[in-house]
Amino acid sequence: MSMAARRASSGHRHDGHGAADQERAGPRAIWTGTLSFGLVAVPVNLFPAVRPAGASLRLLAPDGTPVQRRWVCSEEDKDVPWDELVRGFEVGKGYVVLTDEELESVAPRRSRDIDLRLFVPADELDPFLFERAYVLAPGGESVKPYRLIAEVMEREGKAGVATFVLRS
Amino acid sequence: VRRAEKVDVPARAMWQARLAIGKHRIGVRMYAAINDRELHLHLLHEKDHARVRQRLANPVTGRTVEVAETRRGVEVEPGRFVVLEPKELSALEPEPSRDVEVLRFVPEAALDHRWYERPYYLGPAAGEQAACAALAAALHQTGRQGIARWTLRKREYAGALRVHDGCLALVALRHADEVIVASDLEAPGGRALEERERKLAHQLIGALTGHFRHEQFQDEYRQRVLELIERKQRGKTIELVRYRAKAVGDDSLADALRRSIKQAG
């Protein structure tokens, strides 16, 4: 589960950009959900507020082909296909093997809720706590609940602390 | 939000640096302010539980490519690469330096958290306690932060020199082209909000207002994985139970606000 604290002031609507803007790699919603607090539900779209920049270099074989990364078993010295890999947690000299199903069973359930649990004075949040910023834009037809919460939070200098589940 | 796992007393300096402010030089030690708390799971071969290692392969022949014989390239169009020779790449590398050069001072509010990439603490080098304390006091009193740049492990950084809980801190900043500015987006329009709704929203936010405490926001997933490992280690069978998220009601806005205030109060 991941968390974010956000300020209403960073909530702006994403413009319906045309093809030209798309080519410029403008912001794109990565997630659609509901901002919920009390019994109020505000439909929202989530945009990354930061994007990766810079050219990425690829590793090439001497003949110019991009190389592929493969997994090799340290016992057999043979390539291991992806579906024969498991995850293990090192304990002493061995491993406790965790299957995908087991990891899935303790993973937070997929949820469409950004669960606002608490409002705090915005300046009470230590800037060192911030990890990654996203922008919430109103989703769906009605923008009124969104504007209401954004306006009141901004006016009162409040930040909401919410929990939400976002899977990469 | 990062979890409450900041380092209070950093164990070991990661870099011996020198703050360069005008003609002044102050020796400092840089410490990580963020702990890496990822759970480290290793990839194993299912059959024999042996660790797997990575190899670089030519996808056509399947043959191993040694790191020394690889070259680096930028894809300019699908399947076409411009190759950069090691000599060309090393010519682009910044000169190594111990200096954290402070270029200017700006008001603290000039940068918000979107720019922050990673914070570090700066502790005084031997004999530099007084200079560091004076700098921290001056930043605190003037409400300013320094804009600095430095080079570490062949990477150029821009950062903010700040005071954090009385300690000098350096926050590495994101580059300008990484941050999406609000002017790229458009604020939502619509008819004016009703005073009645505003008042209800104010009441509800007030009812849900408190103080932020780290302990309330722990990484529950990490804890559950650790418990799972412990149970498996003791040879217990694992019952697969799903975590549930609560459902949200479908109300008119004013009704929802009113009922929420009642619930919160």
Side-chain angles (χ1 to χ4, degrees):
Chain A
M1 187 186 295
S2 52
M3 279 177 242
R6 63 197 65 257
R7 299 176 55 165
S9 58
S10 56
H12 288 282
R13 190 158 82 166
H14 158 244
D15 61 355
H17 48 59
D21 294 291
Q22 295 239 346
E23 270 169 30
R24 212 185 53 201
R28 220 176 267 203
I30 53 167
W31 190 80
T32 296
T34 306
L35 183 66
S36 66
F37 63 113
L39 299 166
V40 180
V42 182
V44 287
N45 296 323
L46 188 83
F47 295 86
V50 294
R51 62 190 152 209
S56 58
L57 294 177
R58 295 278 299 273
L59 272 184
L60 306 177
D63 66 1
T65 321
V67 298
Q68 213 174 41
R69 288 171 196 276
R70 293 190 185 172
W71 296 105
V72 182
C73 176
S74 54
E75 289 286 323
E76 300 179 325
D77 209 30
K78 270 198 287 196
D79 283 356
V80 180
W82 182 247
D83 59 5
E84 288 177 27
L85 291 172
V86 290
R87 277 162 222 282
F89 186 79
E90 197 163 10
V91 179
K93 280 182 188 155
Y95 296 93
V96 172
V97 171
L98 301 170
T99 64
D100 287 350
E101 290 75 24
E102 285 164 346
L103 284 170
E104 183 64 29
S105 78
V106 292
R109 212 176 116 107
R110 260 169 230 275
S111 158
R112 290 268 156 225
D113 281 335
I114 297 174
D115 195 7
L116 262 173
R117 291 162 58 181
L118 179 73
F119 289 94
V120 298
D123 55 13
E124 212 174 81
L125 290 176
D126 183 340
F128 279 21
L129 287 170
F130 289 100
E131 179 143 23
R132 202 169 177 81
Y134 297 92
V135 176
L136 290 179
E141 294 295 301
S142 167
V143 297
K144 205 164 81 172
Y146 175 93
R147 287 173 53 223
L148 189 61
I149 180 176
E151 189 183 304
V152 175
M153 282 173 73
E154 186 155 38
R155 191 197 284 179
E156 301 187 5
K158 293 266 171 73
V161 183
T163 55
F164 64 99
V165 180
L166 191 62
R167 296 209 179 169
S168 38
Chain B
V1 170
R2 290 184 213 274
R3 300 173 211 287
E5 280 135 14
K6 291 188 297 162
V7 193
D8 285 326
V9 186
R12 231 181 51 186
M14 51 180 286
W15 192 39
Q16 305 276 345
R18 204 164 63 146
L19 276 176
I21 308 171
K23 288 191 173 115
H24 300 278
R25 298 286 180 274
I26 305 172
V28 288
R29 297 187 172 116
M30 191 193 246
Y31 302 91
I34 304 292
N35 257 338
D36 172 21
R37 291 269 285 170
E38 288 286 307
L39 264 180
H40 290 289
L41 297 180
H42 297 286
L43 278 177
L44 309 174
H45 191 184
E46 193 172 19
K47 196 167 78 181
D48 49 15
H49 291 186
R51 282 279 286 276
V52 291
R53 58 182 164 79
Q54 239 181 19
R55 73 176 182 105
L56 301 177
N58 185 318
V60 183
T61 62
R63 264 195 225 117
T64 295
V65 180
E66 298 301 332
V67 177
E69 50 175 0
T70 59
R71 291 185 297 168
R72 273 152 218 277
V74 180
E75 195 163 23
V76 284
E77 57 183 72
R80 267 200 62 211
F81 293 87
V82 170
V83 174
L84 301 170
E85 300 298 336
K87 232 182 359 193
E88 294 171 318
L89 282 171
S90 62
L92 300 176
E93 280 168 13
E95 291 283 315
S97 163
R98 294 226 162 269
D99 282 353
V100 174
E101 191 188 350
V102 180
L103 305 168
R104 60 184 179 280
F105 291 91
V106 300
E108 252 174 16
L111 289 168
D112 70 43
H113 62 82
R114 282 172 310 156
W115 293 93
Y116 288 15
E117 178 137 34
R118 208 172 175 81
Y120 303 90
Y121 287 116
L122 295 180
E128 299 280 23
Q129 278 83 354
C132 280
L135 178 59
L139 288 174
H140 181 71
Q141 277 157 21
T142 57
R144 304 218 151 216
Q145 60 185 350
I147 300 298
R149 67 176 176 207
W150 68 95
T151 299
L152 186 57
R153 291 178 200 124
K154 296 182 184 173
R155 218 190 117 178
E156 284 172 323
Y157 291 87
L161 176 69
R162 301 170 52 97
V163 182
H164 193 265
D165 294 338
C167 235
L168 284 177
L170 198 57
V171 187
L173 298 175
R174 298 184 195 278
H175 293 280
D177 51 357
E178 287 179 284
V179 174
I180 294 165
V181 292
S183 56
D184 287 356
L185 309 157
E186 187 190 302
R191 75 169 169 78
L193 298 167
E194 285 170 40
E195 199 44 45
R196 180 178 67 103
E197 292 161 344
R198 238 186 234 134
K199 214 168 138 191
L200 286 168
H202 163 80
Q203 276 181 5
L204 176 55
I205 289 177
L208 293 171
T209 291
H211 292 285
F212 179 69
R213 285 196 302 275
H214 297 305
E215 315 85 74
Q216 292 176 310
F217 297 93
Q218 297 297 331
D219 187 348
E220 293 161 21
Y221 174 61
R222 184 177 191 276
Q223 198 49 46
R224 290 201 292 265
V225 175
L226 286 172
E227 283 164 14
L228 172 67
I229 290 165
E230 206 188 301
R231 275 182 287 152
K232 285 203 82 170
Q233 224 185 325
R234 293 201 312 258
K236 293 249 168 97
T237 26
I238 308 300
E239 236 179 277
L240 303 182
V241 186
R242 285 270 179 172
Y243 282 80
R244 297 183 159 277
K246 66 168 183 61
V248 178
D250 194 44
D251 278 298
S252 90
L253 181 57
D255 279 352
L257 285 169
R258 229 174 269 121
R259 298 213 330 225
S260 301
I261 292 166
K262 209 179 268 175
Q263 202 180 53

